[in-house]
mmCIF file of all heavy atoms in Angstrom:
data_model
loop_
_atom_site.group_PDB
_atom_site.id
_atom_site.type_symbol
_atom_site.label_atom_id
_atom_site.label_comp_id
_atom_site.label_asym_id
_atom_site.label_seq_id
_atom_site.Cartn_x
_atom_site.Cartn_y
_atom_site.Cartn_z
ATOM 1 N N MET R 1 34.108 46.314 33.392
ATOM 2 C CA MET R 1 35.518 46.242 33.011
ATOM 3 C C MET R 1 36.096 47.645 32.917
ATOM 4 O O MET R 1 35.592 48.479 32.169
ATOM 5 C CB MET R 1 35.630 45.514 31.667
ATOM 6 C CG MET R 1 37.063 45.125 31.310
ATOM 7 S SD MET R 1 37.153 44.492 29.619
ATOM 8 C CE MET R 1 36.281 42.937 29.833
ATOM 9 N N GLY R 2 37.130 47.945 33.658
ATOM 10 C CA GLY R 2 37.729 49.275 33.646
ATOM 11 C C GLY R 2 38.632 49.475 32.446
ATOM 12 O O GLY R 2 38.962 48.537 31.731
ATOM 13 N N LYS R 3 39.028 50.691 32.271
ATOM 14 C CA LYS R 3 39.877 51.021 31.131
ATOM 15 C C LYS R 3 41.226 50.320 31.216
ATOM 16 O O LYS R 3 41.819 49.964 30.213
ATOM 17 C CB LYS R 3 40.076 52.543 31.101
ATOM 18 C CG LYS R 3 40.704 53.037 29.821
ATOM 19 C CD LYS R 3 40.692 54.556 29.740
ATOM 20 C CE LYS R 3 41.250 54.979 28.389
ATOM 21 N NZ LYS R 3 41.194 56.407 28.155
ATOM 22 N N GLU R 4 41.679 50.100 32.444
ATOM 23 C CA GLU R 4 43.031 49.578 32.643
ATOM 24 C C GLU R 4 43.202 48.154 32.144
ATOM 25 O O GLU R 4 44.278 47.761 31.760
ATOM 26 C CB GLU R 4 43.407 49.647 34.131
ATOM 27 C CG GLU R 4 43.481 51.055 34.680
ATOM 28 C CD GLU R 4 44.215 52.028 33.769
ATOM 29 O OE1 GLU R 4 45.347 51.713 33.373
ATOM 30 O OE2 GLU R 4 43.654 53.074 33.436
ATOM 31 N N ASN R 5 42.119 47.350 32.193
ATOM 32 C CA ASN R 5 42.315 45.945 31.833
ATOM 33 C C ASN R 5 41.474 45.515 30.634
ATOM 34 O O ASN R 5 41.199 44.338 30.465
ATOM 35 C CB ASN R 5 42.068 45.033 33.052
ATOM 36 C CG ASN R 5 40.693 45.276 33.651
ATOM 37 O OD1 ASN R 5 39.856 45.937 33.041
ATOM 38 N ND2 ASN R 5 40.456 44.738 34.829
ATOM 39 N N LYS R 6 41.058 46.460 29.816
ATOM 40 C CA LYS R 6 40.323 46.013 28.635
ATOM 41 C C LYS R 6 41.299 45.469 27.599
ATOM 42 O O LYS R 6 42.423 45.951 27.484
ATOM 43 C CB LYS R 6 39.424 47.120 28.085
ATOM 44 C CG LYS R 6 40.049 48.184 27.246
ATOM 45 C CD LYS R 6 38.921 48.996 26.606
ATOM 46 C CE LYS R 6 39.288 50.450 26.453
ATOM 47 N NZ LYS R 6 38.242 51.253 25.845
ATOM 48 N N PRO R 7 40.872 44.434 26.881
ATOM 49 C CA PRO R 7 41.810 43.837 25.928
ATOM 50 C C PRO R 7 42.183 44.810 24.817
ATOM 51 O O PRO R 7 41.418 45.724 24.486
ATOM 52 C CB PRO R 7 41.052 42.631 25.366
ATOM 53 C CG PRO R 7 39.658 42.755 25.821
ATOM 54 C CD PRO R 7 39.600 43.735 26.939
ATOM 55 N N LEU R 8 43.337 44.602 24.278
ATOM 56 C CA LEU R 8 43.826 45.443 23.191
ATOM 57 C C LEU R 8 42.807 45.556 22.060
ATOM 58 O O LEU R 8 42.666 46.602 21.427
ATOM 59 C CB LEU R 8 45.114 44.799 22.657
ATOM 60 C CG LEU R 8 46.013 45.581 21.729
ATOM 61 C CD1 LEU R 8 46.461 46.878 22.381
ATOM 62 C CD2 LEU R 8 47.195 44.739 21.328
ATOM 63 N N CYS R 9 42.091 44.483 21.840
ATOM 64 C CA CYS R 9 41.079 44.442 20.771
ATOM 65 C C CYS R 9 40.019 45.529 20.933
ATOM 66 O O CYS R 9 39.400 45.943 19.962
ATOM 67 C CB CYS R 9 40.401 43.093 20.767
ATOM 68 S SG CYS R 9 41.526 41.719 20.604
ATOM 69 N N LYS R 10 39.774 45.942 22.172
ATOM 70 C CA LYS R 10 38.708 46.910 22.441
ATOM 71 C C LYS R 10 39.213 48.342 22.496
ATOM 72 O O LYS R 10 38.434 49.261 22.725
ATOM 73 C CB LYS R 10 38.030 46.590 23.776
ATOM 74 C CG LYS R 10 37.511 45.186 23.891
ATOM 75 C CD LYS R 10 36.283 44.980 23.056
ATOM 76 C CE LYS R 10 35.740 43.563 23.253
ATOM 77 N NZ LYS R 10 34.835 43.174 22.182
ATOM 78 N N TRP R 11 40.510 48.525 22.345
ATOM 79 C CA TRP R 11 41.036 49.882 22.383
ATOM 80 C C TRP R 11 40.531 50.668 21.181
ATOM 81 O O TRP R 11 40.526 50.164 20.061
ATOM 82 C CB TRP R 11 42.570 49.857 22.342
ATOM 83 C CG TRP R 11 43.229 49.406 23.611
ATOM 84 C CD1 TRP R 11 42.733 48.529 24.534
ATOM 85 C CD2 TRP R 11 44.531 49.787 24.064
ATOM 86 N NE1 TRP R 11 43.658 48.352 25.534
ATOM 87 C CE2 TRP R 11 44.760 49.100 25.279
ATOM 88 C CE3 TRP R 11 45.513 50.638 23.560
ATOM 89 C CZ2 TRP R 11 45.942 49.250 25.992
ATOM 90 C CZ3 TRP R 11 46.688 50.783 24.268
ATOM 91 C CH2 TRP R 11 46.898 50.104 25.479
ATOM 92 N N ASP R 12 40.140 51.912 21.429
ATOM 93 C CA ASP R 12 39.800 52.781 20.307
ATOM 94 C C ASP R 12 40.973 53.731 20.057
ATOM 95 O O ASP R 12 42.006 53.645 20.719
ATOM 96 C CB ASP R 12 38.482 53.515 20.562
ATOM 97 C CG ASP R 12 38.515 54.366 21.814
ATOM 98 O OD1 ASP R 12 39.621 54.802 22.216
ATOM 99 O OD2 ASP R 12 37.448 54.594 22.405
ATOM 100 N N LYS R 13 40.796 54.658 19.122
ATOM 101 C CA LYS R 13 41.942 55.481 18.750
ATOM 102 C C LYS R 13 42.410 56.380 19.901
ATOM 103 O O LYS R 13 43.587 56.699 19.992
ATOM 104 C CB LYS R 13 41.681 56.262 17.464
ATOM 105 C CG LYS R 13 40.544 57.246 17.505
ATOM 106 C CD LYS R 13 40.446 57.882 16.106
ATOM 107 C CE LYS R 13 39.480 59.035 15.984
ATOM 108 N NZ LYS R 13 38.250 59.024 16.745
ATOM 109 N N ASP R 14 41.497 56.753 20.796
ATOM 110 C CA ASP R 14 41.898 57.565 21.945
ATOM 111 C C ASP R 14 42.716 56.761 22.945
ATOM 112 O O ASP R 14 43.670 57.270 23.532
ATOM 113 C CB ASP R 14 40.664 58.153 22.634
ATOM 114 C CG ASP R 14 39.985 59.216 21.772
ATOM 115 O OD1 ASP R 14 40.705 59.927 21.038
ATOM 116 O OD2 ASP R 14 38.757 59.322 21.828
ATOM 117 N N ASP R 15 42.309 55.504 23.156
ATOM 118 C CA ASP R 15 43.110 54.634 24.024
ATOM 119 C C ASP R 15 44.534 54.528 23.486
ATOM 120 O O ASP R 15 45.508 54.622 24.238
ATOM 121 C CB ASP R 15 42.502 53.224 24.086
ATOM 122 C CG ASP R 15 41.177 53.184 24.812
ATOM 123 O OD1 ASP R 15 41.061 53.844 25.861
ATOM 124 O OD2 ASP R 15 40.264 52.508 24.332
ATOM 125 N N ILE R 16 44.631 54.311 22.187
ATOM 126 C CA ILE R 16 45.943 54.141 21.569
ATOM 127 C C ILE R 16 46.787 55.402 21.762
ATOM 128 O O ILE R 16 47.958 55.330 22.134
ATOM 129 C CB ILE R 16 45.777 53.802 20.073
ATOM 130 C CG1 ILE R 16 45.072 52.450 19.923
ATOM 131 C CG2 ILE R 16 47.136 53.798 19.378
ATOM 132 C CD1 ILE R 16 44.546 52.174 18.527
ATOM 133 N N LYS R 17 46.165 56.541 21.548
ATOM 134 C CA LYS R 17 46.882 57.809 21.695
ATOM 135 C C LYS R 17 47.337 58.025 23.143
ATOM 136 O O LYS R 17 48.467 58.418 23.401
ATOM 137 C CB LYS R 17 45.950 58.948 21.255
ATOM 138 C CG LYS R 17 46.621 60.310 21.173
ATOM 139 C CD LYS R 17 45.796 61.277 20.334
ATOM 140 C CE LYS R 17 44.383 61.464 20.857
ATOM 141 N NZ LYS R 17 44.102 62.657 21.608
ATOM 142 N N ASP R 18 46.446 57.729 24.099
ATOM 143 C CA ASP R 18 46.747 57.981 25.507
ATOM 144 C C ASP R 18 47.701 56.960 26.104
ATOM 145 O O ASP R 18 48.339 57.221 27.122
ATOM 146 C CB ASP R 18 45.455 57.942 26.338
ATOM 147 C CG ASP R 18 44.500 59.075 25.975
ATOM 148 O OD1 ASP R 18 44.937 60.021 25.287
ATOM 149 O OD2 ASP R 18 43.325 58.985 26.374
ATOM 150 N N ARG R 19 47.755 55.759 25.515
ATOM 151 C CA ARG R 19 48.474 54.656 26.168
ATOM 152 C C ARG R 19 49.524 54.041 25.259
ATOM 153 O O ARG R 19 49.815 52.864 25.331
ATOM 154 C CB ARG R 19 47.456 53.585 26.594
ATOM 155 C CG ARG R 19 46.395 54.152 27.519
ATOM 156 C CD ARG R 19 45.242 53.203 27.702
ATOM 157 N NE ARG R 19 45.608 52.076 28.544
ATOM 158 C CZ ARG R 19 44.774 51.045 28.784
ATOM 159 N NH1 ARG R 19 43.576 51.015 28.258
ATOM 160 N NH2 ARG R 19 45.174 50.051 29.541
ATOM 161 N N ILE R 20 50.129 54.877 24.439
ATOM 162 C CA ILE R 20 51.066 54.367 23.437
ATOM 163 C C ILE R 20 52.257 53.634 24.081
ATOM 164 O O ILE R 20 52.718 52.614 23.555
ATOM 165 C CB ILE R 20 51.521 55.515 22.483
ATOM 166 C CG1 ILE R 20 52.398 54.990 21.350
ATOM 167 C CG2 ILE R 20 52.220 56.644 23.224
ATOM 168 C CD1 ILE R 20 51.679 54.081 20.382
ATOM 169 N N LYS R 21 52.708 54.105 25.235
ATOM 170 C CA LYS R 21 53.846 53.429 25.886
ATOM 171 C C LYS R 21 53.451 52.035 26.345
ATOM 172 O O LYS R 21 54.205 51.075 26.200
ATOM 173 C CB LYS R 21 54.341 54.250 27.091
ATOM 174 C CG LYS R 21 55.253 55.400 26.674
ATOM 175 C CD LYS R 21 55.639 56.256 27.852
ATOM 176 C CE LYS R 21 56.830 55.657 28.606
ATOM 177 N NZ LYS R 21 57.309 56.593 29.660
ATOM 178 N N GLU R 22 52.252 51.948 26.928
ATOM 179 C CA GLU R 22 51.737 50.651 27.379
ATOM 180 C C GLU R 22 51.515 49.715 26.181
ATOM 181 O O GLU R 22 51.809 48.516 26.231
ATOM 182 C CB GLU R 22 50.429 50.885 28.130
ATOM 183 C CG GLU R 22 49.902 49.674 28.836
ATOM 184 C CD GLU R 22 48.540 49.940 29.472
ATOM 185 O OE1 GLU R 22 48.149 51.123 29.619
ATOM 186 O OE2 GLU R 22 47.880 48.959 29.814
ATOM 187 N N LEU R 23 50.997 50.295 25.092
ATOM 188 C CA LEU R 23 50.767 49.517 23.874
ATOM 189 C C LEU R 23 52.058 48.893 23.354
ATOM 190 O O LEU R 23 52.094 47.715 22.995
ATOM 191 C CB LEU R 23 50.148 50.429 22.807
ATOM 192 C CG LEU R 23 49.929 49.801 21.433
ATOM 193 C CD1 LEU R 23 48.910 48.678 21.510
ATOM 194 C CD2 LEU R 23 49.482 50.847 20.433
ATOM 195 N N LYS R 24 53.120 49.668 23.379
ATOM 196 C CA LYS R 24 54.406 49.154 22.900
ATOM 197 C C LYS R 24 54.862 47.964 23.730
ATOM 198 O O LYS R 24 55.420 47.004 23.200
ATOM 199 C CB LYS R 24 55.465 50.258 22.933
ATOM 200 C CG LYS R 24 55.278 51.296 21.844
ATOM 201 C CD LYS R 24 56.342 52.368 21.961
ATOM 202 C CE LYS R 24 56.091 53.484 20.975
ATOM 203 N NZ LYS R 24 57.064 54.571 21.136
ATOM 204 N N LYS R 25 54.629 48.039 25.053
ATOM 205 C CA LYS R 25 54.987 46.907 25.927
ATOM 206 C C LYS R 25 54.155 45.675 25.583
ATOM 207 O O LYS R 25 54.662 44.562 25.543
ATOM 208 C CB LYS R 25 54.752 47.267 27.399
ATOM 209 C CG LYS R 25 55.932 47.919 28.055
ATOM 210 C CD LYS R 25 55.644 48.097 29.548
ATOM 211 C CE LYS R 25 56.360 49.333 30.066
ATOM 212 N NZ LYS R 25 55.825 49.770 31.352
ATOM 213 N N ILE R 26 52.863 45.882 25.356
ATOM 214 C CA ILE R 26 51.950 44.764 25.101
ATOM 215 C C ILE R 26 52.305 44.039 23.801
ATOM 216 O O ILE R 26 52.241 42.811 23.729
ATOM 217 C CB ILE R 26 50.480 45.269 25.061
ATOM 218 C CG1 ILE R 26 50.039 45.716 26.458
ATOM 219 C CG2 ILE R 26 49.544 44.192 24.533
ATOM 220 C CD1 ILE R 26 48.708 46.456 26.491
ATOM 221 N N VAL R 27 52.680 44.794 22.788
ATOM 222 C CA VAL R 27 52.917 44.167 21.476
ATOM 223 C C VAL R 27 54.377 43.768 21.232
ATOM 224 O O VAL R 27 54.648 43.095 20.238
ATOM 225 C CB VAL R 27 52.416 45.065 20.315
ATOM 226 C CG1 VAL R 27 50.928 45.354 20.464
ATOM 227 C CG2 VAL R 27 53.217 46.341 20.201
ATOM 228 N N SER R 28 55.284 44.192 22.120
ATOM 229 C CA SER R 28 56.663 43.751 21.933
ATOM 230 C C SER R 28 56.748 42.293 22.358
ATOM 231 O O SER R 28 56.039 41.857 23.263
ATOM 232 C CB SER R 28 57.618 44.629 22.745
ATOM 233 O OG SER R 28 57.354 44.487 24.105
ATOM 234 N N GLU R 29 57.602 41.540 21.725
ATOM 235 C CA GLU R 29 57.734 40.103 21.996
ATOM 236 C C GLU R 29 56.374 39.401 22.002
ATOM 237 O O GLU R 29 55.992 38.792 23.000
ATOM 238 C CB GLU R 29 58.421 39.870 23.348
ATOM 239 C CG GLU R 29 59.773 40.545 23.475
ATOM 240 C CD GLU R 29 60.264 40.514 24.914
ATOM 241 O OE1 GLU R 29 60.286 39.421 25.497
ATOM 242 O OE2 GLU R 29 60.580 41.589 25.451
ATOM 243 N N PRO R 30 55.625 39.485 20.936
ATOM 244 C CA PRO R 30 54.277 38.875 20.932
ATOM 245 C C PRO R 30 54.314 37.358 21.035
ATOM 246 O O PRO R 30 55.183 36.705 20.446
ATOM 247 C CB PRO R 30 53.697 39.303 19.589
ATOM 248 C CG PRO R 30 54.868 39.600 18.737
ATOM 249 C CD PRO R 30 55.952 40.107 19.653
ATOM 250 N N ARG R 31 53.416 36.796 21.814
ATOM 251 C CA ARG R 31 53.314 35.345 21.970
ATOM 252 C C ARG R 31 51.930 34.837 21.585
ATOM 253 O O ARG R 31 51.724 33.645 21.430
ATOM 254 C CB ARG R 31 53.634 34.950 23.417
ATOM 255 C CG ARG R 31 55.102 35.193 23.797
ATOM 256 C CD ARG R 31 55.470 34.522 25.095
ATOM 257 N NE ARG R 31 55.026 33.135 25.105
ATOM 258 C CZ ARG R 31 54.345 32.551 26.094
ATOM 259 N NH1 ARG R 31 54.065 33.240 27.162
ATOM 260 N NH2 ARG R 31 53.982 31.298 26.015
ATOM 261 N N PHE R 32 50.983 35.759 21.464
ATOM 262 C CA PHE R 32 49.610 35.374 21.106
ATOM 263 C C PHE R 32 49.095 36.266 19.987
ATOM 264 O O PHE R 32 49.486 37.430 19.883
ATOM 265 C CB PHE R 32 48.681 35.490 22.324
ATOM 266 C CG PHE R 32 49.043 34.535 23.423
ATOM 267 C CD1 PHE R 32 49.949 34.905 24.401
ATOM 268 C CD2 PHE R 32 48.493 33.255 23.469
ATOM 269 C CE1 PHE R 32 50.311 34.014 25.410
ATOM 270 C CE2 PHE R 32 48.840 32.371 24.470
ATOM 271 C CZ PHE R 32 49.750 32.743 25.445
ATOM 272 N N VAL R 33 48.233 35.700 19.172
ATOM 273 C CA VAL R 33 47.558 36.475 18.130
ATOM 274 C C VAL R 33 46.057 36.348 18.369
ATOM 275 O O VAL R 33 45.577 35.292 18.809
ATOM 276 C CB VAL R 33 47.969 35.981 16.719
ATOM 277 C CG1 VAL R 33 47.596 34.525 16.500
ATOM 278 C CG2 VAL R 33 47.347 36.849 15.632
ATOM 279 N N CYS R 34 45.316 37.414 18.100
ATOM 280 C CA CYS R 34 43.868 37.332 18.198
ATOM 281 C C CYS R 34 43.313 36.839 16.864
ATOM 282 O O CYS R 34 43.572 37.446 15.818
ATOM 283 C CB CYS R 34 43.277 38.693 18.535
ATOM 284 S SG CYS R 34 41.488 38.591 18.681
ATOM 285 N N ARG R 35 42.563 35.747 16.930
ATOM 286 C CA ARG R 35 42.076 35.194 15.659
ATOM 287 C C ARG R 35 40.798 35.872 15.183
ATOM 288 O O ARG R 35 40.257 35.542 14.143
ATOM 289 C CB ARG R 35 41.914 33.672 15.730
ATOM 290 C CG ARG R 35 41.154 33.136 16.888
ATOM 291 C CD ARG R 35 41.428 31.615 17.003
ATOM 292 N NE ARG R 35 40.947 31.096 18.264
ATOM 293 C CZ ARG R 35 39.686 30.702 18.463
ATOM 294 N NH1 ARG R 35 38.830 30.738 17.488
ATOM 295 N NH2 ARG R 35 39.319 30.255 19.643
ATOM 296 N N LYS R 36 40.343 36.830 15.952
ATOM 297 C CA LYS R 36 39.220 37.644 15.491
ATOM 298 C C LYS R 36 39.702 38.989 14.929
ATOM 299 O O LYS R 36 39.207 39.442 13.906
ATOM 300 C CB LYS R 36 38.261 37.878 16.662
ATOM 301 C CG LYS R 36 36.949 38.500 16.265
ATOM 302 C CD LYS R 36 36.008 38.558 17.478
ATOM 303 C CE LYS R 36 34.909 39.570 17.217
ATOM 304 N NZ LYS R 36 34.492 40.243 18.451
ATOM 305 N N CYS R 37 40.668 39.608 15.620
ATOM 306 C CA CYS R 37 41.053 40.980 15.283
ATOM 307 C C CYS R 37 42.442 41.097 14.642
ATOM 308 O O CYS R 37 42.818 42.199 14.257
ATOM 309 C CB CYS R 37 41.037 41.843 16.544
ATOM 310 S SG CYS R 37 39.627 41.530 17.589
ATOM 311 N N ALA R 38 43.202 39.996 14.626
ATOM 312 C CA ALA R 38 44.549 39.992 14.033
ATOM 313 C C ALA R 38 45.536 40.866 14.794
ATOM 314 O O ALA R 38 46.547 41.281 14.237
ATOM 315 C CB ALA R 38 44.508 40.376 12.560
ATOM 316 N N ARG R 39 45.234 41.163 16.059
ATOM 317 C CA ARG R 39 46.211 41.875 16.876
ATOM 318 C C ARG R 39 47.135 40.865 17.555
ATOM 319 O O ARG R 39 46.767 39.698 17.706
ATOM 320 C CB ARG R 39 45.496 42.712 17.943
ATOM 321 C CG ARG R 39 44.837 43.961 17.388
ATOM 322 C CD ARG R 39 43.890 44.533 18.433
ATOM 323 N NE ARG R 39 43.477 45.892 18.132
ATOM 324 C CZ ARG R 39 42.444 46.187 17.343
ATOM 325 N NH1 ARG R 39 41.737 45.231 16.779
ATOM 326 N NH2 ARG R 39 42.119 47.441 17.134
ATOM 327 N N VAL R 40 48.293 41.338 18.003
ATOM 328 C CA VAL R 40 49.214 40.468 18.724
ATOM 329 C C VAL R 40 49.512 41.046 20.099
ATOM 330 O O VAL R 40 49.401 42.244 20.320
ATOM 331 C CB VAL R 40 50.536 40.250 17.957
ATOM 332 C CG1 VAL R 40 50.291 39.483 16.671
ATOM 333 C CG2 VAL R 40 51.260 41.560 17.695
ATOM 334 N N ALA R 41 49.880 40.152 21.040
ATOM 335 C CA ALA R 41 50.192 40.587 22.394
ATOM 336 C C ALA R 41 51.090 39.573 23.079
ATOM 337 O O ALA R 41 51.177 38.412 22.682
ATOM 338 C CB ALA R 41 48.917 40.766 23.215
ATOM 339 N N LYS R 42 51.757 40.062 24.125
ATOM 340 C CA LYS R 42 52.628 39.203 24.918
ATOM 341 C C LYS R 42 51.807 38.281 25.824
ATOM 342 O O LYS R 42 52.189 37.159 26.090
ATOM 343 C CB LYS R 42 53.514 40.111 25.770
ATOM 344 C CG LYS R 42 54.720 39.482 26.388
ATOM 345 C CD LYS R 42 55.584 40.589 26.986
ATOM 346 C CE LYS R 42 56.858 40.051 27.574
ATOM 347 N NZ LYS R 42 57.737 41.147 28.015
ATOM 348 N N LYS R 43 50.680 38.804 26.316
ATOM 349 C CA LYS R 43 49.827 38.030 27.238
ATOM 350 C C LYS R 43 48.469 37.778 26.605
ATOM 351 O O LYS R 43 47.894 38.689 25.997
ATOM 352 C CB LYS R 43 49.609 38.803 28.540
ATOM 353 C CG LYS R 43 50.866 39.024 29.339
ATOM 354 C CD LYS R 43 50.514 39.811 30.582
ATOM 355 C CE LYS R 43 51.760 40.307 31.297
ATOM 356 N NZ LYS R 43 51.415 41.297 32.321
ATOM 357 N N GLU R 44 47.944 36.584 26.826
ATOM 358 C CA GLU R 44 46.660 36.257 26.193
ATOM 359 C C GLU R 44 45.508 37.098 26.736
ATOM 360 O O GLU R 44 44.523 37.321 26.043
ATOM 361 C CB GLU R 44 46.346 34.762 26.311
ATOM 362 C CG GLU R 44 46.312 34.218 27.708
ATOM 363 C CD GLU R 44 46.136 32.691 27.688
ATOM 364 O OE1 GLU R 44 45.369 32.196 26.855
ATOM 365 O OE2 GLU R 44 46.776 32.022 28.524
ATOM 366 N N GLU R 45 45.647 37.598 27.967
ATOM 367 C CA GLU R 45 44.559 38.417 28.525
ATOM 368 C C GLU R 45 44.379 39.747 27.780
ATOM 369 O O GLU R 45 43.390 40.437 27.982
ATOM 370 C CB GLU R 45 44.786 38.672 30.017
ATOM 371 C CG GLU R 45 45.982 39.542 30.316
ATOM 372 C CD GLU R 45 46.816 39.002 31.466
ATOM 373 O OE1 GLU R 45 47.029 37.782 31.529
ATOM 374 O OE2 GLU R 45 47.247 39.815 32.296
ATOM 375 N N ASN R 46 45.349 40.111 26.970
ATOM 376 C CA ASN R 46 45.227 41.345 26.195
ATOM 377 C C ASN R 46 44.418 41.182 24.904
ATOM 378 O O ASN R 46 44.212 42.163 24.184
ATOM 379 C CB ASN R 46 46.612 41.892 25.835
ATOM 380 C CG ASN R 46 47.380 42.378 27.045
ATOM 381 O OD1 ASN R 46 48.477 41.908 27.328
ATOM 382 N ND2 ASN R 46 46.803 43.291 27.792
ATOM 383 N N LEU R 47 43.975 39.958 24.607
ATOM 384 C CA LEU R 47 43.261 39.706 23.358
ATOM 385 C C LEU R 47 41.907 39.063 23.640
ATOM 386 O O LEU R 47 41.731 38.378 24.651
ATOM 387 C CB LEU R 47 44.096 38.778 22.465
ATOM 388 C CG LEU R 47 45.496 39.297 22.116
ATOM 389 C CD1 LEU R 47 46.311 38.201 21.465
ATOM 390 C CD2 LEU R 47 45.431 40.535 21.252
ATOM 391 N N CYS R 48 40.946 39.229 22.718
ATOM 392 C CA CYS R 48 39.616 38.670 22.965
ATOM 393 C C CYS R 48 39.514 37.201 22.516
ATOM 394 O O CYS R 48 38.785 36.432 23.135
ATOM 395 C CB CYS R 48 38.542 39.537 22.309
ATOM 396 S SG CYS R 48 38.547 39.612 20.531
ATOM 397 N N LYS R 49 40.242 36.820 21.455
ATOM 398 C CA LYS R 49 40.249 35.413 21.013
ATOM 399 C C LYS R 49 41.702 34.962 20.808
ATOM 400 O O LYS R 49 42.151 34.750 19.684
ATOM 401 C CB LYS R 49 39.480 35.236 19.683
ATOM 402 C CG LYS R 49 38.022 35.622 19.751
ATOM 403 C CD LYS R 49 37.196 34.481 20.281
ATOM 404 C CE LYS R 49 35.716 34.890 20.258
ATOM 405 N NZ LYS R 49 34.913 34.044 21.148
ATOM 406 N N PRO R 50 42.434 34.839 21.924
ATOM 407 C CA PRO R 50 43.867 34.580 21.777
ATOM 408 C C PRO R 50 44.187 33.172 21.270
ATOM 409 O O PRO R 50 43.479 32.216 21.590
ATOM 410 C CB PRO R 50 44.415 34.762 23.204
ATOM 411 C CG PRO R 50 43.250 34.516 24.079
ATOM 412 C CD PRO R 50 42.029 34.938 23.316
ATOM 413 N N GLU R 51 45.216 33.111 20.467
ATOM 414 C CA GLU R 51 45.748 31.819 20.032
ATOM 415 C C GLU R 51 47.261 31.935 20.042
ATOM 416 O O GLU R 51 47.808 32.957 19.622
ATOM 417 C CB GLU R 51 45.236 31.487 18.622
ATOM 418 C CG GLU R 51 45.750 30.153 18.124
ATOM 419 C CD GLU R 51 44.914 29.629 16.951
ATOM 420 O OE1 GLU R 51 43.688 29.779 16.971
ATOM 421 O OE2 GLU R 51 45.544 29.103 16.028
ATOM 422 N N GLU R 52 47.939 30.891 20.513
ATOM 423 C CA GLU R 52 49.398 30.936 20.599
ATOM 424 C C GLU R 52 50.023 31.071 19.221
ATOM 425 O O GLU R 52 49.587 30.426 18.271
ATOM 426 C CB GLU R 52 49.922 29.667 21.272
ATOM 427 C CG GLU R 52 50.371 29.903 22.694
ATOM 428 C CD GLU R 52 51.023 28.672 23.295
ATOM 429 O OE1 GLU R 52 50.276 27.754 23.685
ATOM 430 O OE2 GLU R 52 52.255 28.628 23.347
ATOM 431 N N LEU R 53 51.072 31.884 19.160
ATOM 432 C CA LEU R 53 51.803 32.015 17.893
ATOM 433 C C LEU R 53 52.709 30.810 17.693
ATOM 434 O O LEU R 53 53.216 30.260 18.652
ATOM 435 C CB LEU R 53 52.656 33.291 17.916
ATOM 436 C CG LEU R 53 51.889 34.590 17.720
ATOM 437 C CD1 LEU R 53 52.808 35.771 18.006
ATOM 438 C CD2 LEU R 53 51.371 34.696 16.304
HETATM 439 ZN ZN1 ZN W 101 40.425 40.331 19.440
#
């Protein structure tokens, strides 16, 4: 799995720092929540255990 398509759940602090613009896109208008990590995302592929909001 490359860096480009790893789920938000797997991002570390360096990913967040380097990809803050992308992160903002992913979490704006959230439609799914991860029931393991409590993160939110617009697309379910960005989360490891997505559940619809
Ligand atoms: Zn997760």
Side-chain angles (χ1 to χ4, degrees):
M1 192 188 290
K3 191 171 184 176
E4 296 315 308
N5 55 12
K6 80 169 146 180
L8 193 58
C9 304
K10 305 287 183 198
W11 287 30
D12 59 26
K13 62 181 188 325
D14 291 327
D15 292 318
I16 296 165
K17 188 162 58 102
D18 294 346
R19 302 168 73 184
I20 185 66
K21 279 176 84 173
E22 189 185 344
L23 176 65
K24 287 179 186 176
K25 272 186 211 163
I26 291 170
V27 302
S28 64
E29 304 168 52
R31 292 193 49 229
F32 296 89
V33 61
C34 181
R35 50 196 168 85
K36 190 174 161 213
C37 318
R39 286 167 165 86
V40 294
K42 196 170 183 174
K43 296 179 191 168
E44 57 186 321
E45 67 224 42
N46 292 122
L47 302 169
C48 66
K49 299 276 183 199
E51 180 162 321
E52 255 186 282
L53 284 170

